[in-house]
Amino acid sequence: MAAAGRLIDRDGWQKLTMRRLAAEAGTSPTTLYHHIRDKEDLLTRLLDDHADSTPRPDLPRDPRERIAAAATAIHDSLATWPWIVEILTADDLTGDSALWMVETIVAGAVDCGCTPEQAVHVYRGIWYYTVGEIVVRTNAARRRAESERPAHRDTRFRSLDPAELPHLAALGERWPELTARDTYASGLRALIDGLLPHHP
Amino acid sequence: MAAAGRLIDRDGWQKLTMRRLAAEAGTSPTTLYHHIRDKEDLLTRLLDDHADSTPRPDLPRDPRERIAAAATAIHDSLATWPWIVEILTADDLTGDSALWMVETIVAGAVDCGCTPEQAVHVYRGIWYYTVGEIVVRTNAARRRAESERPAHRDTRFRSLDPAELPHLAALGERWPELTARDTYASGLRALIDGLLPHHP
DNA sequence: ACCTGAACACCGTTCAAGT
DNA sequence: ACCTGAACACCGTTCAAGT
């Protein structure tokens, strides 16, 4: 597992192959299959290890704040190892080690007046939002890093038809700047506000 | 492109390789490279084709409803071809053909009293939520289909420590049922409510 | 038990050579 | 212009054979 972590940090997750991992660990590819079932098993274990290694944050007393803190902790943990996105799409997170986040959010929602059913709904909305933010932002970053040509997407907004897409055309060249901003936290706040029962 | 579509629909997106595609199209793999740059180029074009093929829905007059309708249309379009998730993680949507959705949401947000900056923020929140929902739900479905063993995740909730995870333990075996529900629409509504300026 | 070399059945992509 | 066979540099995984 340590060799796999080194390999990913050094060469990127795309370079993590059974053959390279064997070389990094100083053994033969076939030997690996005595310790793991297959490659997906390896990725799942890496994901769980990473989740276990991130400390649980101090949780505020207010339930709304507690929900936000739990979601943010998981989000930030995922964001530090962006290659996890590739595993997220192959295997769900919410391995045992991340269950505290689920518990915290569900509990906070119940404290805010949700039924258990509604609380699960709140958790799911937050989880969708979080996964989506990571997936989209990671891919945007990767594409920016890979392409020498200046993004193709960033330049496209300068040549839009104002008749058909008036607001986008008006935004024009401000688009890259606006979409580069980190809005996870404020979007999360809005989502929580919308999902929880409204203040009396 | 038609051959690629047939191949995916028949054998699944994992089976879409340059060699198989060439066989399906009755030509040689090398010939393909005269018509596309590389495999990512092929996937991008498939994505754009699919987005173009989905009709634009009738849009309600109320701006909030309009935002919800645009997001739902894109969401449903993605949901009909779940393999797109794999491309979404390799390449952003928001190809030209989907820009109408961006325009609709941004315009609706402005009509609700947002500044252009806030309107972009609204769009991004909705996009994150939508991508996340598709990614998570598609993978859950795939895993259910692949594994003969009964999901491992669904059974885990029956043996949780009530001392550490009281709410999850209490939910217990209702978890699979609750998470199987389609809550995209109501979560979207909550997100929009939270993101837009509040009613006076 | 633990490890391995050889092999199987594949990949995406390139490139010189053909029509 | 359009197409191709052969080849390159890889994959994940299996399996009989070794210690």
Side-chain angles (χ1 to χ4, degrees), chain A residues 13 84-92 128 131-132 134-136 138-139 142-143, chain B residues 8 12-14 16 40 43-44 46-48 50-51 74-94 127-143:
Chain A
W13 91 273
I84 304 200
V85 177
E86 307 296 336
I87 303 182
L88 273 181
T89 56
D91 200 338
D92 214 354
Y128 294 160
V131 168
I134 299 275
V135 167
V136 171
T138 301
N139 286 326
R142 174 162 47 145
R143 228 165 308 113
Chain B
I8 287 175
W13 90 273
Q14 298 92 336
L16 179 65
E40 182 169 332
L43 295 178
T44 302
L46 276 176
L47 185 58
D48 284 348
H50 183 249
I74 284 289
H75 173 268
D76 293 351
S77 164
L78 294 179
T80 57
W81 241 18
W83 60 267
I84 305 198
V85 177
E86 307 296 335
I87 303 182
L88 274 182
T89 56
D91 200 338
D92 214 354
L93 180 78
T94 325
W127 182 234
Y128 294 159
Y129 174 74
T130 301
V131 169
E133 202 269 352
I134 299 276
V135 168
V136 171
R137 197 164 43 71
T138 301
N139 287 325
R142 176 163 45 143
R143 226 164 312 112

Side-chain angles (χ1 to χ4, degrees), chain A residues 7 44 58 71 115 124 168 181:
Chain A
L7 204 54
T44 302
D58 289 338
T115 65
R124 286 217 287 154
L168 300 190
R181 290 185 193 171

